[in-house]
Amino acid sequence: MECMAQGQPKPLVSWSRQDGKPISTDVIVLATNLVIRDIRRHHAGVYVCRANKPRTREFVFAAAELHVAAPPVIVQPPESVSLSRGNTARFMCNSSGEPLPVLHWLKNGQPIRHFRRMKVQSRGVLLINQLALEDAGYYQCIAENGLGTACATAKLTVIVKEGLPSLPRHLTATPYSSTTALLSWEKPEYNTDQIIAYSVHYQLTAGLDSQDTSFAVSNDTTEYLVKELLPHTAYTFFVVAYSPMGASPPSLPITVEMLEDVPSAPPQLSVASTTPTDIRLMWQPLSSQHSRGAVTRYRIDYSALDQMDTVFSVELRGNETQFTLRELRPDQVYRLRITAGTAVGFGIPSEWVQHETIVRNSPIDNSTGKIMQRLCKAHLY
């Protein structure tokens, strides 16, 4: 790296690292130049050249960053494990390299197909819930960048003990409300007397990254009320039986969609006027999180500010995103709000918004022959 500085008297040049670390002892400083003859990864960083005017505090500086490309290296390989069926396997794999390697996983040499029980939880972490016999095998962590590839392998052994309960049977899920579902099942066919507890598991059906949630249930019941679910959302449930020796296979999964509910929020409303007797309302459709079902209708309420006791309402279809109120009074302040509704009913309305219609006989724009528009700023009532 060459650093040339001019000035009278001749500036004094020095080098440092921006991160505060000392410059490596194998780096050569020749007058104003900095030379690294054999680049290694520890040389990477930002180097700062500073030129000082002698016997003063006046200085200028310039900086340059050194990137040291490096092939991938597995610095933390996954470890082989032996676990009983029904447990959770967690493989960790950390790598280094420049640029940062991309990580992916193989099982027995084939790309892993993510599904309900198996997913990459975060960078370098493979999680397998409710281990089954078919999960046993060799898992490879592959790190890749433009300079090469690195690989590490771990073996997963799934242990199945004799005398474990068979899987719970005939699982059903019935929505009780938009946020509550009742699960019921029958006891396993074999080794029922060994059961000490059940575990209920569920997760969002859509999305590979949805988190598995589980609850423990005593062995004297075969039903469980799952609460705090999302309305109008599909969930997948399964149940596992436990004995002192370990877990049964999971029950056959069942998927159910929760009931709709009224929207939890109103649309965001904006208003404008183009003539003295109309107000144009516009809004965006609600997100699935706030709609809590299929929006089938909107209701617009409005009244003149000087006649607040008289409120008029207009109902629109759920696919509308704008509407124009006509035959209003010019130069008049109105208040307006909007409410979204599903088949269950209407949700909460938006806050009242005030808007003043255009004055009749507004100036004319001679160049276009159109009425000049006056768009009043909406504000909360």
Side-chain angles (χ1 to χ4, degrees):
M1 297 181 183
E2 186 175 24
C3 181
M4 300 182 64
Q6 296 179 341
Q8 290 295 334
K10 185 178 180 179
L12 301 175
V13 175
S14 62
W15 286 89
S16 63
R17 287 178 60 107
Q18 191 177 69
D19 57 12
K21 295 180 181 179
I23 293 180
S24 178
T25 55
D26 57 357
V27 175
I28 302 172
V29 178
L30 299 175
T32 61
N33 292 347
L34 185 145
V35 180
I36 307 174
R37 298 191 183 279
D38 187 11
I39 291 290
R40 292 289 184 263
R41 293 194 61 192
H42 68 271
H43 293 125
V46 177
Y47 290 82
V48 179
C49 167
R50 173 168 166 163
N52 277 81
K53 185 177 180 179
R55 295 184 298 276
T56 73
R57 294 185 178 182
E58 298 179 25
F59 67 91
V60 293
F61 67 90
E65 185 170 5
L66 173 62
H67 295 274
V68 181
V73 175
I74 303 294
V75 295
Q76 182 185 11
E79 297 181 355
S80 297
V81 291
S82 296
L83 296 169
S84 298
R85 184 177 63 188
N87 286 340
T88 297
R90 189 171 185 263
F91 291 113
M92 295 186 63
C93 179
N94 289 327
S95 65
S96 64
E98 179 63 37
L100 187 66
V102 176
L103 290 176
H104 59 275
W105 292 87
L106 307 178
K107 179 189 175 186
N108 296 331
Q110 300 297 319
I112 283 180
R113 180 180 61 86
H114 293 197
F115 59 101
R116 176 174 52 85
R117 295 188 299 103
M118 183 182 297
K119 56 192 173 183
V120 176
Q121 188 180 40
S122 59
R123 173 179 165 80
V125 178
L126 175 66
L127 200 65
I128 311 172
N129 291 310
Q130 290 298 317
L131 286 176
L133 280 175
E134 61 267 23
D135 297 325
Y138 291 91
Y139 289 82
Q140 294 95 17
C141 166
I142 309 295
E144 293 181 315
N145 68 11
L147 297 179
T149 302
C151 176
T153 303
K155 183 180 180 181
L156 172 61
T157 303
V158 179
I159 303 171
V160 179
K161 299 178 181 179
E162 296 294 332
L164 291 175
S166 55
L167 56 84
R169 300 175 295 164
H170 306 143
L171 175 64
T172 62
T174 305
Y176 261 28
S177 69
S178 62
T179 59
T180 305
L182 178 65
L183 299 187
S184 61
W185 60 91
E186 293 183 10
K187 292 184 177 182
E189 185 175 1
Y190 303 109
N191 299 319
T192 303
D193 57 338
Q194 300 294 318
I195 296 175
I196 58 174
Y198 295 96
S199 63
V200 172
H201 302 254
Y202 67 91
Q203 65 180 178
L204 296 174
T205 303
L208 294 175
D209 296 332
S210 58
Q211 185 175 358
D212 181 279
T213 303
S214 61
F215 295 95
V217 181
S218 65
N219 63 346
D220 59 356
T221 183
T222 55
E223 63 180 26
Y224 185 78
L225 193 64
V226 184
K227 302 178 181 179
E228 298 182 0
L229 302 174
L230 297 176
H232 196 54
T233 302
Y235 286 89
T236 298
F237 301 88
F238 67 92
V239 177
V240 177
Y242 286 87
S243 74
M245 300 177 62
S248 74
S251 68
L252 295 177
I254 186 171
T255 298
V256 65
E257 184 167 327
M258 302 305 296
L259 303 176
E260 292 187 333
D261 206 335
V262 300
S264 61
Q268 187 72 33
L269 185 64
S270 60
V271 295
S273 290
T274 55
T275 74
T277 58
D278 70 27
I279 296 178
R280 186 178 186 84
L281 299 92
M282 295 159 285
W283 60 92
Q284 293 293 326
L286 291 175
S287 65
S288 58
Q289 176 185 358
H290 292 133
S291 64
R292 304 204 294 186
V295 174
T296 59
R297 50 192 170 156
Y298 294 102
R299 188 183 68 226
I300 295 173
D301 302 320
Y302 67 100
S303 67
L305 201 59
D306 59 357
Q307 297 178 344
M308 295 175 55
D309 293 338
T310 305
V311 178
F312 300 94
S313 297
V314 178
E315 195 164 312
L316 308 171
R317 294 175 299 180
N319 60 351
E320 302 286 352
T321 57
Q322 57 185 16
F323 181 73
T324 301
L325 294 171
R326 303 187 185 278
E327 299 182 3
L328 304 174
R329 288 182 289 167
D331 195 24
Q332 175 68 47
V333 177
Y334 286 85
R335 59 175 190 156
L336 313 99
R337 68 181 182 184
I338 187 170
T339 311
T342 63
V344 180
F346 283 104
I348 59 174
S350 66
E351 297 287 343
W352 287 105
V353 171
Q354 284 188 194
H355 184 78
E356 186 176 357
T357 53
I358 297 174
V359 179
R360 196 183 294 276
N361 301 324
S362 291
I364 302 297
D365 184 343
N366 294 326
S367 64
T368 62
K370 296 181 179 180
I371 296 177
M372 295 180 63
Q373 297 181 5
R374 185 180 65 182
L375 303 180
C376 300
K377 295 182 179 179
H379 58 87
L380 296 180
Y381 172 69

